[in-house]
Amino acid sequence: MGFFKVIYECETHNGVGELLEILGSIINGFALPLKEEHMDFLVRALIPLHKVKSLAVFHQQLSYCMAQYVEKDPRLAYQIIISMIWYWPVSITSKQVLFLNELEEILELTQPSEFHKMQELLFRRIALCITCPHFQVAERTLFLWNNDYIVKLINQNRQALFPIVISSLYKNNQQHWNQAVHGLTFNVLKLLMEADPQLFDECSQKHRVDEEREEKADGLRAQRWAVLQEKYQAAAPSDSNAGNHA
């Protein structure tokens, strides 16, 4: 099959997008409950296409197929999103933006029970994307808070999720170079504060404590390094002594 060739061999194959487009219509016609071979095809042939370097060529069609599967069986949202996290393109920012686009589409179809099972793993990845130096990745991640359904899912699970993302948001406020990202970060912080002021204050306080602890640890590390350098310089023979020995 062409999909397996793309995944495991050459990573390029003419017509993958067209095949996926046809497949999207076929998936739409699958009877419920989904057959075992349809589930196997999703896991073995479709989901692994996310790791292909040429993903951008057919991503729109692949994303549509994923959405069709989740519409047929919402429980599949968990498996698809967890697999996307596994295949996350850490070093390729353009692919990260594609993943974030697809992630939003799948989350819109995700039931609260499925979201709860993957929320912490998912939001640890989202927290990393928030602080990404590439502004398009950070910006696209922060745009997730423009989606009312996703905000609802986050707020329903805020005790677990606010502590994960608030530190990343504060880091953006202090360190990110892009002004648009600064503005979006401020808006998200405001949304979190309005959703639960008490929890927001608790998370903010924890962030300050953690930050102070890190600063102290960095200072102690620098002191120890300075002492080691002094000891090395004191023990090392001077150039003149080295010349005399020669």
Side-chain angles (χ1 to χ4, degrees):
M1 175 177 285
F3 294 151
F4 290 132
K5 187 175 182 180
V6 172
I7 295 166
Y8 299 111
E9 294 179 19
C10 64
E11 293 206 349
T12 55
H13 188 279
N14 293 331
V16 171
E18 289 78 3
L19 284 170
L20 288 169
E21 195 167 337
I22 296 167
L23 188 60
S25 299
I26 295 172
I27 296 167
N28 190 40
F30 281 171
L32 294 175
L34 291 175
K35 295 180 180 178
E36 187 177 343
E37 55 262 34
H38 296 155
M39 305 285 274
D40 285 346
F41 185 73
L42 170 69
V43 173
R44 296 181 182 181
L46 293 183
I47 291 178
L49 284 171
H50 286 91
K51 69 180 181 178
V52 175
K53 289 180 182 177
S54 57
L55 174 68
V57 177
F58 53 81
H59 180 259
Q60 185 178 351
Q61 294 90 339
L62 178 62
S63 182
Y64 177 74
C65 289
M66 296 296 104
Q68 288 298 305
Y69 263 103
V70 177
E71 284 186 359
K72 286 290 179 182
D73 187 348
R75 293 173 299 177
L76 292 172
Y78 173 82
Q79 187 160 16
I80 291 171
I81 290 176
I82 290 297
S83 298
M84 287 176 65
I85 294 169
W86 180 257
Y87 292 131
W88 200 270
V90 177
S91 61
I92 308 174
T93 52
S94 59
K95 278 186 73 174
Q96 288 194 63
V97 173
L98 293 178
F99 270 52
L100 289 162
N101 290 338
E102 183 177 351
L103 180 63
E104 181 171 1
E105 290 180 21
I106 301 299
L107 284 174
E108 284 181 335
L109 301 168
T110 301
Q111 297 298 313
S113 57
E114 300 303 314
F115 180 82
H116 182 76
K117 290 193 292 185
M118 62 184 163
Q119 60 183 12
E120 293 188 26
L121 183 62
L122 170 60
F123 271 76
R124 280 196 289 270
R125 171 50 60 190
I126 286 175
L128 290 172
C129 290
I130 286 172
T131 56
C132 180
H134 196 288
F135 80 96
Q136 287 181 329
V137 175
E139 189 176 64
R140 184 63 188 86
T141 308
L142 293 165
F143 278 149
L144 291 173
W145 272 267
N146 288 346
N147 188 302
D148 291 339
Y149 181 68
I150 294 175
V151 169
K152 183 180 176 182
L153 289 173
I154 294 169
N155 289 342
Q156 287 173 346
N157 299 276
R158 58 185 178 274
Q159 293 290 337
L161 301 182
F162 279 22
I164 296 174
V165 297
I166 281 178
S167 288
S168 295
L169 292 166
Y170 276 125
K171 285 176 184 175
N172 262 13
N173 249 359
Q174 296 164 0
Q175 300 172 10
H176 208 284
W177 62 273
N178 184 270
Q179 286 302 313
V181 170
H182 272 274
L184 290 167
T185 299
F186 176 79
N187 291 339
V188 173
L189 281 168
K190 187 179 176 184
L191 283 173
L192 300 186
M193 182 175 64
E194 291 171 351
D196 193 330
Q198 183 179 347
L199 178 60
F200 182 85
D201 288 343
E202 290 171 5
C203 293
S204 299
Q205 177 61 27
K206 184 179 182 301
H207 168 72
R208 285 191 288 271
V209 170
D210 290 344
E211 204 170 41
E212 289 173 6
R213 188 183 297 119
E214 284 180 19
E215 288 177 2
K216 287 180 182 177
D218 289 343
L220 184 61
R221 195 178 298 114
Q223 288 177 2
R224 288 174 175 170
W225 180 246
V227 169
L228 284 172
Q229 283 184 313
E230 287 176 8
K231 288 181 177 179
Y232 172 77
Q233 289 169 357
S238 64
D239 291 342
S240 58
N241 289 339
N244 291 336
H245 284 305

Short mmCIF file of all heavy atoms in Angstrom, two decimals, residues 110-169:
data_model
loop_
_atom_site.label_atom_id
_atom_site.label_comp_id
_atom_site.label_asym_id
_atom_site.label_seq_id
_atom_site.Cartn_x
_atom_site.Cartn_y
_atom_site.Cartn_z
N THR A 110 -13.85 16.27 21.00
CA THR A 110 -13.48 15.39 22.12
C THR A 110 -14.48 15.53 23.27
O THR A 110 -14.82 16.64 23.68
CB THR A 110 -12.08 15.74 22.63
OG1 THR A 110 -11.14 15.59 21.55
CG2 THR A 110 -11.66 14.84 23.77
N GLN A 111 -14.92 14.40 23.77
CA GLN A 111 -15.81 14.39 24.92
C GLN A 111 -15.03 14.66 26.22
O GLN A 111 -13.85 14.30 26.31
CB GLN A 111 -16.51 13.03 25.03
CG GLN A 111 -17.40 12.69 23.85
CD GLN A 111 -18.54 13.68 23.67
OE1 GLN A 111 -19.22 14.02 24.63
NE2 GLN A 111 -18.74 14.14 22.44
N PRO A 112 -15.67 15.27 27.21
CA PRO A 112 -14.97 15.58 28.47
C PRO A 112 -14.29 14.36 29.11
O PRO A 112 -13.20 14.48 29.67
CB PRO A 112 -16.09 16.12 29.38
CG PRO A 112 -17.06 16.73 28.41
CD PRO A 112 -17.04 15.83 27.20
N SER A 113 -14.92 13.19 29.02
CA SER A 113 -14.33 11.99 29.63
C SER A 113 -13.02 11.60 28.95
O SER A 113 -12.06 11.18 29.62
CB SER A 113 -15.32 10.82 29.56
OG SER A 113 -15.69 10.56 28.21
N GLU A 114 -12.95 11.75 27.62
CA GLU A 114 -11.72 11.44 26.89
C GLU A 114 -10.66 12.50 27.15
O GLU A 114 -9.48 12.19 27.30
CB GLU A 114 -12.00 11.35 25.38
CG GLU A 114 -13.00 10.28 24.99
CD GLU A 114 -12.59 8.90 25.47
OE1 GLU A 114 -11.41 8.53 25.28
OE2 GLU A 114 -13.43 8.19 26.04
N PHE A 115 -11.09 13.75 27.22
CA PHE A 115 -10.17 14.85 27.51
C PHE A 115 -9.50 14.64 28.86
O PHE A 115 -8.29 14.85 29.01
CB PHE A 115 -10.92 16.18 27.48
CG PHE A 115 -10.05 17.38 27.76
CD1 PHE A 115 -9.28 17.95 26.76
CD2 PHE A 115 -10.01 17.94 29.02
CE1 PHE A 115 -8.47 19.05 27.01
CE2 PHE A 115 -9.21 19.04 29.30
CZ PHE A 115 -8.44 19.59 28.28
N HIS A 116 -10.28 14.23 29.84
CA HIS A 116 -9.75 14.06 31.21
C HIS A 116 -8.62 13.04 31.24
O HIS A 116 -7.65 13.20 31.99
CB HIS A 116 -10.89 13.63 32.14
CG HIS A 116 -10.47 13.48 33.56
ND1 HIS A 116 -10.25 14.56 34.40
CD2 HIS A 116 -10.21 12.38 34.30
CE1 HIS A 116 -9.88 14.12 35.59
NE2 HIS A 116 -9.85 12.80 35.56
N LYS A 117 -8.72 12.00 30.42
CA LYS A 117 -7.71 10.92 30.45
C LYS A 117 -6.35 11.38 29.93
O LYS A 117 -5.32 10.83 30.31
CB LYS A 117 -8.19 9.73 29.61
CG LYS A 117 -9.35 8.97 30.24
CD LYS A 117 -9.59 7.64 29.56
CE LYS A 117 -10.09 7.78 28.15
NZ LYS A 117 -10.42 6.47 27.52
N MET A 118 -6.33 12.40 29.05
CA MET A 118 -5.07 12.79 28.42
C MET A 118 -4.64 14.21 28.78
O MET A 118 -3.63 14.69 28.30
CB MET A 118 -5.21 12.69 26.90
CG MET A 118 -6.27 13.62 26.33
SD MET A 118 -6.47 13.38 24.56
CE MET A 118 -8.04 14.15 24.26
N GLN A 119 -5.40 14.88 29.64
CA GLN A 119 -5.24 16.31 29.83
C GLN A 119 -3.83 16.71 30.29
O GLN A 119 -3.26 17.67 29.78
CB GLN A 119 -6.28 16.83 30.82
CG GLN A 119 -6.20 16.20 32.20
CD GLN A 119 -7.30 16.70 33.13
OE1 GLN A 119 -8.25 17.34 32.70
NE2 GLN A 119 -7.18 16.39 34.42
N GLU A 120 -3.27 15.99 31.24
CA GLU A 120 -1.98 16.43 31.80
C GLU A 120 -0.84 16.23 30.80
O GLU A 120 0.00 17.12 30.62
CB GLU A 120 -1.71 15.70 33.12
CG GLU A 120 -2.68 16.11 34.21
CD GLU A 120 -2.31 15.57 35.58
OE1 GLU A 120 -1.12 15.31 35.81
OE2 GLU A 120 -3.23 15.40 36.41
N LEU A 121 -0.83 15.09 30.13
CA LEU A 121 0.20 14.85 29.11
C LEU A 121 0.07 15.87 27.97
O LEU A 121 1.07 16.44 27.51
CB LEU A 121 0.06 13.43 28.56
CG LEU A 121 1.10 12.98 27.54
CD1 LEU A 121 2.49 13.00 28.15
CD2 LEU A 121 0.77 11.60 27.00
N LEU A 122 -1.17 16.14 27.55
CA LEU A 122 -1.42 17.09 26.47
C LEU A 122 -0.98 18.49 26.87
O LEU A 122 -0.31 19.19 26.09
CB LEU A 122 -2.91 17.08 26.13
CG LEU A 122 -3.40 18.17 25.19
CD1 LEU A 122 -2.70 18.09 23.84
CD2 LEU A 122 -4.92 18.10 25.01
N PHE A 123 -1.30 18.91 28.07
CA PHE A 123 -1.00 20.29 28.45
C PHE A 123 0.45 20.50 28.85
O PHE A 123 0.93 21.63 28.83
CB PHE A 123 -1.98 20.78 29.52
CG PHE A 123 -3.20 21.40 28.89
CD1 PHE A 123 -4.19 20.60 28.34
CD2 PHE A 123 -3.33 22.76 28.78
CE1 PHE A 123 -5.29 21.14 27.72
CE2 PHE A 123 -4.43 23.33 28.16
CZ PHE A 123 -5.41 22.52 27.62
N ARG A 124 1.16 19.44 29.14
CA ARG A 124 2.62 19.60 29.29
C ARG A 124 3.23 19.93 27.93
O ARG A 124 4.17 20.73 27.83
CB ARG A 124 3.24 18.34 29.89
CG ARG A 124 3.07 18.25 31.40
CD ARG A 124 4.00 17.23 32.02
NE ARG A 124 3.62 15.87 31.70
CZ ARG A 124 2.80 15.13 32.41
NH1 ARG A 124 2.23 15.63 33.49
NH2 ARG A 124 2.51 13.88 32.05
N ARG A 125 2.71 19.33 26.87
CA ARG A 125 3.17 19.66 25.52
C ARG A 125 2.74 21.08 25.15
O ARG A 125 3.52 21.85 24.58
CB ARG A 125 2.62 18.64 24.53
CG ARG A 125 2.85 18.97 23.06
CD ARG A 125 4.27 19.32 22.74
NE ARG A 125 5.20 18.24 23.04
CZ ARG A 125 6.52 18.39 23.02
NH1 ARG A 125 7.06 19.57 22.72
NH2 ARG A 125 7.31 17.37 23.31
N ILE A 126 1.50 21.44 25.46
CA ILE A 126 1.01 22.79 25.16
C ILE A 126 1.82 23.84 25.91
O ILE A 126 2.15 24.90 25.36
CB ILE A 126 -0.50 22.89 25.50
CG1 ILE A 126 -1.31 22.14 24.44
CG2 ILE A 126 -0.95 24.35 25.60
CD1 ILE A 126 -2.79 22.06 24.72
N ALA A 127 2.19 23.55 27.16
CA ALA A 127 3.00 24.49 27.94
C ALA A 127 4.35 24.72 27.26
O ALA A 127 4.85 25.86 27.23
CB ALA A 127 3.20 23.96 29.36
N LEU A 128 4.95 23.68 26.71
CA LEU A 128 6.22 23.83 25.99
C LEU A 128 6.03 24.67 24.72
O LEU A 128 6.89 25.48 24.38
CB LEU A 128 6.79 22.46 25.63
CG LEU A 128 7.30 21.61 26.79
CD1 LEU A 128 7.65 20.21 26.32
CD2 LEU A 128 8.52 22.25 27.43
N CYS A 129 4.90 24.47 24.04
CA CYS A 129 4.64 25.24 22.82
C CYS A 129 4.39 26.72 23.14
O CYS A 129 4.73 27.59 22.34
CB CYS A 129 3.43 24.66 22.09
SG CYS A 129 3.73 23.05 21.35
N ILE A 130 3.79 27.00 24.28
CA ILE A 130 3.54 28.39 24.68
C ILE A 130 4.84 29.17 24.74
O ILE A 130 4.91 30.34 24.33
CB ILE A 130 2.81 28.44 26.04
CG1 ILE A 130 1.35 28.01 25.87
CG2 ILE A 130 2.88 29.83 26.66
CD1 ILE A 130 0.60 27.85 27.19
N THR A 131 5.89 28.55 25.25
CA THR A 131 7.17 29.24 25.43
C THR A 131 8.12 29.03 24.25
O THR A 131 9.30 29.38 24.34
CB THR A 131 7.87 28.76 26.72
OG1 THR A 131 8.04 27.34 26.67
CG2 THR A 131 7.06 29.13 27.95
N CYS A 132 7.63 28.48 23.14
CA CYS A 132 8.49 28.25 21.98
C CYS A 132 9.03 29.58 21.46
O CYS A 132 8.28 30.54 21.27
CB CYS A 132 7.69 27.56 20.88
SG CYS A 132 8.65 27.23 19.38
N PRO A 133 10.34 29.69 21.22
CA PRO A 133 10.91 30.95 20.70
C PRO A 133 10.35 31.35 19.34
O PRO A 133 10.32 32.53 19.01
CB PRO A 133 12.41 30.64 20.60
CG PRO A 133 12.64 29.49 21.50
CD PRO A 133 11.37 28.69 21.48
N HIS A 134 9.90 30.36 18.55
CA HIS A 134 9.32 30.68 17.25
C HIS A 134 7.92 31.26 17.48
O HIS A 134 7.03 30.57 18.00
CB HIS A 134 9.25 29.45 16.37
CG HIS A 134 9.03 29.76 14.92
ND1 HIS A 134 7.83 30.22 14.44
CD2 HIS A 134 9.87 29.72 13.85
CE1 HIS A 134 7.91 30.43 13.14
NE2 HIS A 134 9.15 30.13 12.75
N PHE A 135 7.70 32.50 17.08
CA PHE A 135 6.47 33.20 17.45
C PHE A 135 5.23 32.55 16.86
O PHE A 135 4.15 32.60 17.48
CB PHE A 135 6.56 34.67 17.04
CG PHE A 135 6.29 34.94 15.58
CD1 PHE A 135 5.03 35.32 15.15
CD2 PHE A 135 7.30 34.80 14.64
CE1 PHE A 135 4.78 35.56 13.81
CE2 PHE A 135 7.05 35.04 13.29
CZ PHE A 135 5.79 35.43 12.88
N GLN A 136 5.33 31.90 15.70
CA GLN A 136 4.14 31.30 15.10
C GLN A 136 3.63 30.12 15.92
O GLN A 136 2.42 29.91 16.02
CB GLN A 136 4.43 30.86 13.66
CG GLN A 136 4.56 32.03 12.70
CD GLN A 136 4.84 31.57 11.27
OE1 GLN A 136 5.47 30.54 11.05
NE2 GLN A 136 4.37 32.33 10.30
N VAL A 137 4.55 29.36 16.49
CA VAL A 137 4.14 28.23 17.34
C VAL A 137 3.50 28.74 18.62
O VAL A 137 2.41 28.29 19.02
CB VAL A 137 5.35 27.32 17.67
CG1 VAL A 137 4.94 26.22 18.65
CG2 VAL A 137 5.92 26.71 16.39
N ALA A 138 4.16 29.69 19.28
CA ALA A 138 3.60 30.26 20.52
C ALA A 138 2.25 30.92 20.26
O ALA A 138 1.29 30.72 21.02
CB ALA A 138 4.58 31.27 21.11
N GLU A 139 2.17 31.68 19.18
CA GLU A 139 0.93 32.38 18.83
C GLU A 139 -0.20 31.40 18.57
O GLU A 139 -1.31 31.56 19.08
CB GLU A 139 1.21 33.24 17.59
CG GLU A 139 0.11 34.20 17.21
CD GLU A 139 0.53 35.06 16.02
OE1 GLU A 139 0.75 34.50 14.92
OE2 GLU A 139 0.65 36.29 16.20
N ARG A 140 0.07 30.36 17.76
CA ARG A 140 -0.97 29.38 17.42
C ARG A 140 -1.45 28.63 18.66
O ARG A 140 -2.63 28.30 18.79
CB ARG A 140 -0.45 28.38 16.38
CG ARG A 140 -1.52 27.39 15.90
CD ARG A 140 -2.64 28.14 15.21
NE ARG A 140 -3.78 27.29 14.89
CZ ARG A 140 -4.78 27.02 15.71
NH1 ARG A 140 -4.78 27.53 16.94
NH2 ARG A 140 -5.79 26.26 15.33
N THR A 141 -0.53 28.36 19.58
CA THR A 141 -0.91 27.68 20.83
C THR A 141 -1.83 28.55 21.67
O THR A 141 -2.85 28.09 22.18
CB THR A 141 0.35 27.32 21.64
OG1 THR A 141 1.27 26.61 20.81
CG2 THR A 141 -0.01 26.45 22.83
N LEU A 142 -1.48 29.82 21.79
CA LEU A 142 -2.30 30.74 22.59
C LEU A 142 -3.67 30.97 21.97
O LEU A 142 -4.64 31.27 22.68
CB LEU A 142 -1.55 32.06 22.77
CG LEU A 142 -0.28 31.96 23.64
CD1 LEU A 142 0.60 33.19 23.46
CD2 LEU A 142 -0.63 31.76 25.10
N PHE A 143 -3.77 30.81 20.65
CA PHE A 143 -5.06 30.95 19.98
C PHE A 143 -6.05 29.86 20.41
O PHE A 143 -7.26 30.00 20.18
CB PHE A 143 -4.90 30.90 18.46
CG PHE A 143 -4.49 32.21 17.84
CD1 PHE A 143 -3.70 32.23 16.70
CD2 PHE A 143 -4.86 33.42 18.39
CE1 PHE A 143 -3.32 33.43 16.12
CE2 PHE A 143 -4.50 34.63 17.83
CZ PHE A 143 -3.72 34.63 16.69
N LEU A 144 -5.57 28.78 21.02
CA LEU A 144 -6.48 27.74 21.51
C LEU A 144 -7.48 28.32 22.50
O LEU A 144 -8.61 27.84 22.62
CB LEU A 144 -5.69 26.60 22.17
CG LEU A 144 -4.83 25.72 21.25
CD1 LEU A 144 -4.00 24.75 22.07
CD2 LEU A 144 -5.69 24.96 20.24
N TRP A 145 -7.07 29.37 23.22
CA TRP A 145 -7.96 29.98 24.21
C TRP A 145 -9.02 30.87 23.56
O TRP A 145 -9.86 31.43 24.25
CB TRP A 145 -7.15 30.77 25.24
CG TRP A 145 -6.72 29.92 26.38
CD1 TRP A 145 -7.37 29.75 27.57
CD2 TRP A 145 -5.55 29.10 26.47
NE1 TRP A 145 -6.68 28.88 28.39
CE2 TRP A 145 -5.56 28.47 27.73
CE3 TRP A 145 -4.49 28.83 25.60
CZ2 TRP A 145 -4.56 27.60 28.15
CZ3 TRP A 145 -3.50 27.96 26.01
CH2 TRP A 145 -3.52 27.36 27.27
N ASN A 146 -9.01 30.99 22.23
CA ASN A 146 -10.09 31.67 21.52
C ASN A 146 -11.25 30.73 21.22
O ASN A 146 -12.30 31.16 20.73
CB ASN A 146 -9.58 32.26 20.19
CG ASN A 146 -8.68 33.46 20.41
OD1 ASN A 146 -8.63 34.02 21.50
ND2 ASN A 146 -7.96 33.86 19.38
N ASN A 147 -11.03 29.43 21.47
CA ASN A 147 -12.05 28.43 21.19
C ASN A 147 -12.88 28.18 22.46
O ASN A 147 -12.36 27.69 23.46
CB ASN A 147 -11.37 27.13 20.72
CG ASN A 147 -12.37 26.10 20.24
OD1 ASN A 147 -13.26 25.69 20.97
ND2 ASN A 147 -12.21 25.65 19.00
N ASP A 148 -14.15 28.54 22.41
CA ASP A 148 -14.99 28.47 23.61
C ASP A 148 -15.11 27.06 24.17
O ASP A 148 -15.11 26.87 25.40
CB ASP A 148 -16.40 29.01 23.30
CG ASP A 148 -16.40 30.50 23.04
OD1 ASP A 148 -15.45 31.18 23.48
OD2 ASP A 148 -17.35 31.00 22.40
N TYR A 149 -15.19 26.06 23.29
CA TYR A 149 -15.34 24.68 23.79
C TYR A 149 -14.07 24.21 24.49
O TYR A 149 -14.13 23.57 25.56
CB TYR A 149 -15.69 23.74 22.65
CG TYR A 149 -15.89 22.31 23.12
CD1 TYR A 149 -16.98 21.96 23.91
CD2 TYR A 149 -15.00 21.30 22.77
CE1 TYR A 149 -17.18 20.67 24.36
CE2 TYR A 149 -15.18 20.00 23.21
CZ TYR A 149 -16.26 19.69 24.00
OH TYR A 149 -16.44 18.40 24.46
N ILE A 150 -12.92 24.54 23.93
CA ILE A 150 -11.65 24.15 24.55
C ILE A 150 -11.47 24.87 25.88
O ILE A 150 -11.02 24.27 26.88
CB ILE A 150 -10.47 24.42 23.59
CG1 ILE A 150 -10.56 23.51 22.37
CG2 ILE A 150 -9.13 24.22 24.30
CD1 ILE A 150 -9.53 23.77 21.29
N VAL A 151 -11.82 26.15 25.93
CA VAL A 151 -11.75 26.91 27.20
C VAL A 151 -12.66 26.26 28.24
O VAL A 151 -12.28 26.14 29.43
CB VAL A 151 -12.15 28.38 26.97
CG1 VAL A 151 -12.35 29.10 28.30
CG2 VAL A 151 -11.09 29.09 26.15
N LYS A 152 -13.82 25.80 27.80
CA LYS A 152 -14.73 25.12 28.73
C LYS A 152 -14.10 23.85 29.29
O LYS A 152 -14.17 23.57 30.50
CB LYS A 152 -16.04 24.80 28.01
CG LYS A 152 -17.10 24.15 28.90
CD LYS A 152 -18.36 23.85 28.10
CE LYS A 152 -19.39 23.11 28.96
NZ LYS A 152 -20.61 22.76 28.17
N LEU A 153 -13.47 23.05 28.41
CA LEU A 153 -12.79 21.83 28.86
C LEU A 153 -11.67 22.16 29.86
O LEU A 153 -11.51 21.47 30.88
CB LEU A 153 -12.20 21.07 27.67
CG LEU A 153 -13.18 20.38 26.71
CD1 LEU A 153 -12.43 19.84 25.50
CD2 LEU A 153 -13.93 19.26 27.42
N ILE A 154 -10.91 23.21 29.55
CA ILE A 154 -9.80 23.61 30.43
C ILE A 154 -10.33 24.04 31.79
O ILE A 154 -9.82 23.61 32.83
CB ILE A 154 -8.97 24.75 29.79
CG1 ILE A 154 -8.27 24.25 28.52
CG2 ILE A 154 -7.95 25.31 30.77
CD1 ILE A 154 -7.65 25.36 27.68
N ASN A 155 -11.38 24.87 31.78
CA ASN A 155 -11.91 25.38 33.05
C ASN A 155 -12.54 24.27 33.89
O ASN A 155 -12.48 24.32 35.13
CB ASN A 155 -12.94 26.48 32.78
CG ASN A 155 -12.29 27.76 32.28
OD1 ASN A 155 -11.09 27.95 32.43
ND2 ASN A 155 -13.08 28.63 31.68
N GLN A 156 -13.12 23.27 33.24
CA GLN A 156 -13.69 22.14 33.97
C GLN A 156 -12.61 21.33 34.68
O GLN A 156 -12.88 20.65 35.67
CB GLN A 156 -14.49 21.24 33.03
CG GLN A 156 -15.81 21.83 32.57
CD GLN A 156 -16.48 20.99 31.51
OE1 GLN A 156 -15.87 20.09 30.91
NE2 GLN A 156 -17.75 21.26 31.24
N ASN A 157 -11.38 21.40 34.17
CA ASN A 157 -10.26 20.63 34.73
C ASN A 157 -9.15 21.56 35.23
O ASN A 157 -7.98 21.21 35.20
CB ASN A 157 -9.71 19.67 33.67
CG ASN A 157 -10.75 18.67 33.20
OD1 ASN A 157 -10.97 17.63 33.82
ND2 ASN A 157 -11.42 18.97 32.10
N ARG A 158 -9.54 22.75 35.67
CA ARG A 158 -8.56 23.79 35.98
C ARG A 158 -7.64 23.44 37.15
O ARG A 158 -6.50 23.90 37.19
CB ARG A 158 -9.26 25.12 36.25
CG ARG A 158 -10.28 25.12 37.37
CD ARG A 158 -10.99 26.47 37.45
NE ARG A 158 -12.01 26.52 38.48
CZ ARG A 158 -13.27 26.13 38.30
NH1 ARG A 158 -13.65 25.65 37.13
NH2 ARG A 158 -14.14 26.22 39.29
N GLN A 159 -8.11 22.62 38.09
CA GLN A 159 -7.24 22.28 39.22
C GLN A 159 -5.98 21.55 38.75
O GLN A 159 -4.90 21.72 39.32
CB GLN A 159 -8.00 21.39 40.23
CG GLN A 159 -9.14 22.08 40.94
CD GLN A 159 -8.68 23.13 41.92
OE1 GLN A 159 -7.53 23.08 42.40
NE2 GLN A 159 -9.53 24.09 42.24
N ALA A 160 -6.11 20.77 37.70
CA ALA A 160 -4.95 20.04 37.15
C ALA A 160 -4.20 20.85 36.12
O ALA A 160 -2.96 20.74 36.02
CB ALA A 160 -5.41 18.72 36.54
N LEU A 161 -4.91 21.69 35.34
CA LEU A 161 -4.30 22.32 34.16
C LEU A 161 -3.73 23.71 34.41
O LEU A 161 -2.70 24.07 33.82
CB LEU A 161 -5.32 22.37 33.01
CG LEU A 161 -5.86 21.01 32.56
CD1 LEU A 161 -6.81 21.18 31.39
CD2 LEU A 161 -4.73 20.06 32.19
N PHE A 162 -4.36 24.50 35.26
CA PHE A 162 -3.84 25.84 35.51
C PHE A 162 -2.39 25.81 36.01
O PHE A 162 -1.55 26.58 35.53
CB PHE A 162 -4.72 26.59 36.51
CG PHE A 162 -5.95 27.21 35.91
CD1 PHE A 162 -6.47 26.75 34.70
CD2 PHE A 162 -6.61 28.26 36.54
CE1 PHE A 162 -7.62 27.31 34.14
CE2 PHE A 162 -7.76 28.83 35.99
CZ PHE A 162 -8.27 28.36 34.80
N PRO A 163 -2.05 24.93 36.98
CA PRO A 163 -0.65 24.90 37.45
C PRO A 163 0.35 24.56 36.35
O PRO A 163 1.51 24.97 36.41
CB PRO A 163 -0.67 23.81 38.53
CG PRO A 163 -2.09 23.75 38.99
CD PRO A 163 -2.91 24.01 37.77
N ILE A 164 -0.08 23.81 35.33
CA ILE A 164 0.84 23.41 34.26
C ILE A 164 1.15 24.59 33.34
O ILE A 164 2.30 24.79 32.94
CB ILE A 164 0.24 22.24 33.44
CG1 ILE A 164 0.08 20.99 34.32
CG2 ILE A 164 1.11 21.93 32.23
CD1 ILE A 164 -0.63 19.84 33.64
N VAL A 165 0.12 25.39 33.00
CA VAL A 165 0.32 26.43 31.99
C VAL A 165 0.70 27.80 32.55
O VAL A 165 1.32 28.60 31.85
CB VAL A 165 -0.92 26.58 31.08
CG1 VAL A 165 -1.17 25.31 30.31
CG2 VAL A 165 -2.15 26.99 31.87
N ILE A 166 0.34 28.08 33.79
CA ILE A 166 0.57 29.44 34.32
C ILE A 166 2.05 29.79 34.35
O ILE A 166 2.44 30.92 34.01
CB ILE A 166 -0.11 29.61 35.69
CG1 ILE A 166 -1.61 29.83 35.49
CG2 ILE A 166 0.49 30.77 36.48
CD1 ILE A 166 -2.43 29.98 36.75
N SER A 167 2.90 28.86 34.74
CA SER A 167 4.35 29.15 34.76
C SER A 167 4.86 29.50 33.36
O SER A 167 5.67 30.43 33.19
CB SER A 167 5.12 27.96 35.32
OG SER A 167 4.91 27.83 36.71
N SER A 168 4.39 28.77 32.35
CA SER A 168 4.81 29.04 30.97
C SER A 168 4.33 30.42 30.53
O SER A 168 5.05 31.15 29.82
CB SER A 168 4.26 27.97 30.03
OG SER A 168 4.82 26.71 30.32
N LEU A 169 3.13 30.79 30.94
CA LEU A 169 2.60 32.11 30.57
C LEU A 169 3.41 33.23 31.21
O LEU A 169 3.72 34.23 30.57
CB LEU A 169 1.12 32.20 30.98
CG LEU A 169 0.16 31.29 30.20
CD1 LEU A 169 -1.20 31.19 30.89
CD2 LEU A 169 -0.01 31.79 28.77
#
